[in-house]
Amino acid sequence: MKGNRPKVSPEAVKKLAVIGEKQGTISLKDLALDMGLSCEDTLIFLREAFPEGSGVEVYSQMNECMVDINANAISYELTLTPPEWIGLSQILGQVPVSELLKNPALNSLKQKMVGNAPVKAVMELLNQLEAWDSLLSDPQQSFVPQIEEAAAKNSVIGIVTAGEKSYQVFPYKVIHLEGTLSMIAEDSSDHCLLVVPVSELRGLTFVESTSVPRVSNYEIEEFIVAIRSMGEKETRLILKIYDPQTANLFPNHHFLGKPCMVTNPNGDLIWAAYVEPCEDLFEWLISLKNNVEILDPSDFKDQYLTYCEEKLRKVS
């Protein structure tokens, strides 16, 4: 009935959320004042907000109408798909702290998203997915630890590529370069630096040699930077990492250009480095779960969200 509906002004619409913030006993007069409604319309609203009668009690005390509110009785369910969960979580993660402090409801929503089981379950699922996008065969995957062992010992290895070319090299690093997991190595004969995609390897053996490496770590880093700059794929990634003591701060097989780590007064770690965006880097971020927030750049955030959505589509 028209006569039974509360007369809500535009200002009152903005204040209807007041009821969800109240807890305990308050006089009807004060509640109506906070909501911008008349006492009569406030009672009508309360009956609609608590149709079952639980969660609010209206009674008279010393000739004054009182309202005892249990705001927890008001709850709303919003069904979201996994990509929507991740999208909402990413959006909330971009809200400045100053804005969250001004808006308790928004801050509460972010805290629920951070600690909510569905989000954790989705992130855990992504982390445990098999790497079906990997282009490496089982033998090629077995080459990686052998290369790293040789690099640690400054040993020479003999390699055979898909083009049936043979080299003897000092391996230095296995990193993602130009979207491919690659070995950075020094030719043991002419001491030039090489980039060999692991997917191109067809054979690998340890070789006895009296040759010694000549390339310095600085030259290796400059070599990697030069290749990345030609490909224009490098970006300066800035992260905020919560609880850094429990987080893996160094993704495997990634070259971090000019890394920088600073701890803020809250104990959070500001992590920054030049990186090459790729699937494996996104998987590292997923493994950090709710302990990481992408601060910059925005286009990297978009790539990461798109990657997560695509992974979820493959699951479904």
Side-chain angles (χ1 to χ4, degrees), residues 254-274:
H254 284 274
F255 174 74
L256 305 179
K258 296 182 179 179
C260 175
M261 299 183 192
V262 179
T263 302
N264 66 16
N266 296 325
D268 304 325
L269 182 71
I270 305 301
W271 183 104
Y274 284 99

Side-chain angles (χ1 to χ4, degrees), residues 213-229:
R214 298 181 185 176
V215 179
S216 68
N217 289 332
Y218 175 79
E219 290 173 312
I220 295 170
E221 291 189 5
E222 289 297 300
F223 177 69
I224 296 172
V225 170
I227 293 177
R228 279 186 171 177
S229 63

Side-chain angles (χ1 to χ4, degrees), residues 6 16 19 35 37 41-50:
L16 288 178
I19 191 68
M35 297 179 63
L37 298 172
D41 289 339
T42 299
L43 288 172
I44 294 174
F45 172 76
L46 291 175
R47 285 196 293 269
E48 293 185 345
F50 301 90

Side-chain angles (χ1 to χ4, degrees), residues 13 48 50 58 64 76 81 120 144-145 147 149 197 228 233 249 256 288 299 316:
V13 173
E48 293 185 345
F50 301 90
V58 181
E64 184 173 10
Y76 302 92
T81 64
K120 290 183 178 180
V144 174
I147 294 171
E149 178 186 351
R228 279 186 171 177
K233 290 186 176 182
L249 303 179
L256 305 179
L288 297 179
D299 58 342
S316 59

